[in-house]
Amino acid sequence: MNYRKITPGTEGNRYVPYEERKGNESIVYFTRDLSAEGLRKIYGKISEHLTGRVAVKLHTGEKNGPNIIPRPWVKELIEKDIPGATIVETNTYYEGDRYTTKQHRETLKVNGWTFCPVDIMDEDGTTNLPVIGGKWFTEMSMGKNILNYDSMLALTHFKGHTQGGFGGSNKNLGIGCADGRIGKGMIHTTPGSDNMWDISKEEFMERMTESTKAAIDHFGKNVAYINVLRNMSVSCDCEGCAALPVVTPNIGIVASVDILAADQASVDLVYALDEKDHADLVERIQSRHGHRQLSYMKELGMGNDRYILIDIDNEDTRISPKTAVEGVVPFNNSGDSI
């Protein structure tokens, strides 16, 4: 591959207002109800095509990570609404609590992910899935066990991210399905580089997004996306207890069968907050050129950045992101984490 002849896109540091976007609109559901009940209710809106063997792609966190989606919520969702589902993960690229399968399984026990099967998809090797229309890759190395499932739910804790600016459904699948050695290396590291994190900004966003495209193309219409906008540090859950303090207010939960619409709506909700409440997270997104995740998803035909936001708390009325965040209170760490 003529690596350096490929040119990344630009303007990943620019937020595109809704009125500047073009194209069709997708449906995105929204609830302010940050609870197991709220999660179950919004899941019901997007679950139609999640059939057969269902994989729930969840970031299960480093040991005792404080900001992940509360385990009791996920337990109730799976036991009551997706019986027989399997949580799926892959090992990490960095050395830590989930670097090897043995370490990963110990961390799963510590964090309490013991109420249903958890499949570390690269435990038994890798598989290459095609990247249709990509410019960086023709295929992506994934955990082999992704082939064992008929459907996938991306159940994502939306937050900041050190490399990606923000971590939504795109990051959850693009990094989270790529295997821990080959696939994640393809996204993060220039071949031959001594710096395993040398790929950043627009190029990183594009590589990660192409990985996501390989995963969702594999499942076709049998994939759906939920983003939980709660405990949103600028740090990823990969940083565990070392994550920077949460200062962004809790907002709610969004869900869609359109990955771009789900992530775009989540970003729009953050931007709709008062400046003092979103300043840290917005800075993280823009400084890492994270908006390129969204524009590249659109270029690859992965979804729409225009959407109809449906308030399921109020008889499925259409609302704007600004209306959705009315009444949001500044974050205070008053035992909201479970």
Side-chain angles (χ1 to χ4, degrees):
M1 181 170 68
N2 295 322
Y3 174 78
R4 287 302 171 192
K5 292 185 179 180
I6 302 174
T7 304
T10 59
E11 296 192 327
N13 58 338
R14 178 176 179 264
Y15 175 69
V16 179
Y18 196 92
E19 56 271 17
E20 293 184 23
R21 304 172 201 164
K22 301 184 185 305
N24 295 327
E25 291 180 318
S26 294
I27 300 294
V28 177
Y29 297 98
F30 173 74
T31 180
R32 301 160 190 81
D33 185 0
L34 284 160
S35 70
E37 182 180 4
L39 179 60
R40 292 185 61 213
K41 185 177 179 182
I42 206 165
Y43 169 77
K45 297 290 188 179
I46 47 87
S47 62
E48 180 182 1
H49 296 295
L50 298 179
T51 58
R53 295 163 295 179
V54 180
V56 179
K57 178 59 195 71
L58 177 73
H59 196 312
T60 53
E62 298 300 310
K63 286 182 178 178
N64 301 305
N67 296 327
I68 57 176
I69 298 173
R71 184 184 63 255
W73 299 8
V74 181
K75 182 175 187 287
E76 188 167 331
L77 174 70
I78 289 177
E79 290 181 348
K80 293 185 177 180
D81 300 288
I82 331 174
T86 300
I87 292 173
V88 298
E89 275 275 34
T90 54
N91 291 320
T92 59
Y93 188 43
Y94 57 87
E95 294 192 31
D97 293 337
R98 299 179 298 134
Y99 184 62
T100 67
T101 297
K102 182 179 179 181
Q103 290 171 311
H104 203 154
R105 294 214 173 275
E106 175 59 29
T107 300
L108 289 166
K109 291 178 184 177
V110 169
N111 287 347
W113 302 107
T114 56
F115 54 83
C116 75
V118 180
D119 184 354
I120 299 173
M121 294 190 292
D122 52 348
E123 179 175 10
D124 301 315
T126 64
T127 189
N128 288 324
L129 295 184
V131 178
I132 300 169
K135 66 183 182 184
W136 299 101
F137 307 119
T138 58
E139 58 186 14
M140 174 53 61
S141 181
M142 303 248 167
K144 183 174 74 173
N145 293 347
I146 196 172
L147 302 177
N148 296 338
Y149 301 97
D150 304 304
S151 307
M152 178 170 278
L153 171 65
L155 179 54
T156 304
H157 172 221
F158 186 91
K159 67 282 178 185
H161 189 264
T162 302
Q163 288 283 91
F166 69 90
S169 291
N170 187 43
K171 183 268 174 188
N172 187 10
L173 297 188
I175 302 296
C177 293
D179 73 276
R181 302 296 175 268
I182 303 169
K184 288 182 174 68
M186 292 166 68
I187 298 167
H188 281 290
T189 311
T190 304
S193 173
D194 293 331
N195 176 7
M196 64 188 294
W197 311 110
D198 75 314
I199 295 174
S200 62
K201 296 186 175 177
E202 281 85 358
E203 181 177 340
F204 173 76
M205 309 306 161
E206 293 173 4
R207 286 170 173 261
M208 175 171 63
T209 301
E210 290 188 15
S211 177
T212 300
K213 190 173 192 298
I216 67 173
D217 284 351
H218 173 70
F219 289 105
K221 68 177 183 179
N222 302 112
V223 59
Y225 313 92
I226 296 176
N227 287 347
V228 179
L229 284 77
R230 167 192 175 278
N231 283 23
M232 293 179 285
S233 170
V234 299
S235 303
C236 178
D237 294 336
C238 300
E239 297 178 52
C241 295
L244 290 170
V246 173
V247 295
T248 306
N250 294 332
I251 294 175
I253 307 173
V254 303
S256 183
V257 295
D258 180 327
I259 185 172
L260 171 53
D263 276 3
Q264 182 70 71
S266 300
V267 169
D268 289 344
L269 287 163
V270 169
Y271 272 75
L273 294 169
D274 290 343
E275 197 279 335
K276 62 180 174 55
D277 291 324
H278 74 199
D280 284 23
L281 188 48
V282 164
E283 190 281 333
R284 176 57 57 102
I285 294 170
Q286 293 183 175
S287 65
R288 271 56 171 187
H289 294 217
H291 292 292
R292 183 58 179 155
Q293 290 188 53
L294 304 168
S295 60
Y296 197 50
M297 277 195 275
K298 188 168 185 177
E299 288 175 25
L300 290 175
M302 294 167 65
N304 299 314
D305 58 359
R306 301 177 74 244
Y307 53 87
I308 298 170
L309 189 63
I310 301 296
D311 183 353
I312 70 171
D313 301 337
N314 293 287
E315 301 180 341
D316 288 352
T317 55
R318 181 175 185 173
I319 57 171
S320 68
K322 194 66 179 175
T323 299
V325 301
E326 286 177 357
V328 163
V329 296
F331 184 85
N332 64 67
N333 194 16
S334 58
D336 186 65
S337 299
I338 300 176

